[in-house]
Amino acid sequence: MQEFKKEVSFVEKNKIAIKKKNMFIVNYIKDVFNGVKSLVVGLRRTMYYFSHHKEIITEQYPDNRDTLVLPDRFKGEVILVHDENNEHACTGCTACELACPNATIKIITKFDISPEGKKKKAIDKFVYHLELCTMCNLCIVACPTDAIKMAQTFEHSVYNRAELTKVLNKQGSKIREGVE
Amino acid sequence: MVEEIGRTADGDIIINVGPQHPATHGVLHLVITINGETIKKVEPHLGYIHRSIEKMCESLTYRQFIYVTSRMDYLSSHINNHACALCVEKALQIEVSSRAQVVRILLDELTRIASHELWWGAMAMDLGAFTPFFHAFRERETINDIMEETCGARLTMNYIVPGGIMQDIHPNFQKRIKDFIKLYKSKISEYDELVTGNIIFQNRMKGVGYLSAEDAISFGVTGPAARGSNISCDVRKIYPYEIYDQLEFVEVLETGCDSFARYMVRIREMNQSIRIIEQLVDNIPEGDFQTKTKAVLKLPKGEFYQRVETARGEFGVYIVSEGGTTPYRIKFRSPGFSNLSALDHMARGSKLGDLVAIMGTLDLVIPDIDR
């Protein structure tokens, strides 16, 4: 009886071993098939975009310079806003100078003497160091009279570093009437 | 015995990867000891892009120091700014309006998706697949356009200020986010088709770079890298800030502990971020976008700490104040630095070619490590 049992178990073991071997081969073929399939799935996506190339998602810069529209809030560089009479709204309070983390802005003030003989503080030079600016927008927020704002320019490359230090107030400009 | 140059006493070869190497995504210098092709030791050399940001912050006021943190982890700069603003608000006990809170979280999650998308493209490129990079940038470009329109910059936004946000949201903000969700949902299946299911990719990721849960904790690994080892460490769930405790989302966990698990965590996390955005985008409350604060912020004397979950892990801001307008000391706990410390442990014993795959799944941003 015992011998018979042993025999059965031996046969069963053998069967399991054969089954395992078969399973191994089946799994192997499955793996190969699935592997090739996964590559085909990926390549199909690639070929789809290869044959459907109408959708251009890249910016055609610099060919589109004339039509390029940047959002209003884009932070390119600080400018002092001048109106048609060559007047600005900067009182020379130096709030922007204090708000700037990198000492980008330096305001040099002078005293204008009005016709009545009163002294009035005004800006002589609004010096702006573009090379130090990180476009953090803190000066714009700090300005109490909205005299400065961010321009949408972004092509700042120059050959000489000194050209990046700018004087923002235009020649002969003065403060607008009524701005305190 | 005279040691040969470039070899250890055991005869192993020492080679340098970086500091200028495309796979390190920056100026990371790894000194690797290899025996044949098997890595015996990885030694990161840091400091190539150190800008002493913490020291710089000591001379800046509490409004000014926020912009510097955009330059650390530049891919999740918005979340870094958020952490700094939260820390200052905590110290001054400023109540932020619910409108500002919702907009902040929306932008945080958009940043997280943008960061993970860039990581996904770069990860595939590390392993030799170039096409996914362009697919990832297509979606990321949409997020960058939203940022450009509302915040005024594409990468270093500086939009969050103590007390709220700098400007009110752009009128197109909600519409463009909805467009993005639509685009994302139509394209996310491509990610799986192109990379996740790919047999070459799977064979290079599965079982590579094993990091057990115990090791992850002892190295201080956080973020998706730790969640791939089944560690629950999402700051948004454990220490909720803003209104994260009222939102429905799942903390993504994987049990694989290998590179593939960390990959899957990030892919699934993007879907959770989309879920958060969907809950909030139509429910932006009316109200002020910024609470009125004093012109000059002065923190009370003491120590303040605030942590947030960036795309890479836990980011912490620690401010020591003496009561003045500038901090006495600032310490940033950056996720990249701690995650990098586990690289040596993970890469030991694996092949040189796998080092790039392991490094890719940690999602290292070098300015974040060096600061």
Side-chain angles (χ1 to χ4, degrees), chain A residues 150-163:
Chain A
M150 281 285 180
Q152 278 79 50
T153 51
F154 58 94
E155 291 163 324
H156 296 314
S157 321
V158 285
Y159 283 106
N160 187 1
R161 190 184 156 163
E163 286 171 43

Side-chain angles (χ1 to χ4, degrees), chain B residues 11 41 53 78 158 163 197 214 226 263 269 273 314 333-334:
Chain B
K41 196 173 152 198
I53 281 180
H78 209 100
N158 193 34
E214 291 81 19
Y263 170 86
E269 216 171 64
S273 291
E314 181 190 320
R333 191 258 183 227
S334 67

Side-chain angles (χ1 to χ4, degrees), chain A residues 50-70:
Chain A
F50 186 68
S51 55
H52 294 71
H53 50 74
K54 279 175 191 165
E55 187 193 0
I56 297 171
I57 53 170
T58 48
E59 292 270 350
Q60 302 297 307
Y61 184 81
D63 295 339
N64 67 345
R65 258 201 195 129
D66 303 329
T67 55
L68 191 68
V69 180
L70 286 162

Side-chain angles (χ1 to χ4, degrees), chain A residues 49 73 75 98-99 102 136, chain B residues 64 67 150 157-158 168 190:
Chain A
Y49 281 110
R73 290 184 186 178
K75 295 183 267 193
L98 291 169
N102 308 311
C136 66
Chain B
Q64 290 170 345
Y67 94 96
T150 296
M157 275 80 82
N158 193 34
D168 205 359
E190 286 179 9

Side-chain angles (χ1 to χ4, degrees), chain B residues 250-306:
Chain B
V250 179
E251 181 179 4
V252 180
L253 290 173
E254 289 274 341
T255 49
C257 301
D258 56 358
S259 295
F260 193 70
R262 294 190 282 275
Y263 170 86
M264 283 313 289
V265 167
R266 291 204 174 85
I267 293 284
R268 286 171 59 200
E269 216 171 64
M270 282 200 276
N271 295 332
Q272 292 302 325
S273 291
I274 284 285
R275 211 173 134 192
I276 295 174
I277 292 170
E278 276 181 332
Q279 286 171 46
L280 292 175
V281 69
D282 281 323
N283 301 321
I284 301 178
E286 294 295 317
D288 290 340
F289 59 88
Q290 200 177 334
T291 316
K292 283 269 178 291
T293 47
K294 282 180 189 161
V296 179
L297 298 179
K298 273 188 185 174
L299 258 64
K301 200 174 175 180
E303 299 171 6
F304 308 98
Y305 185 70
Q306 175 66 42

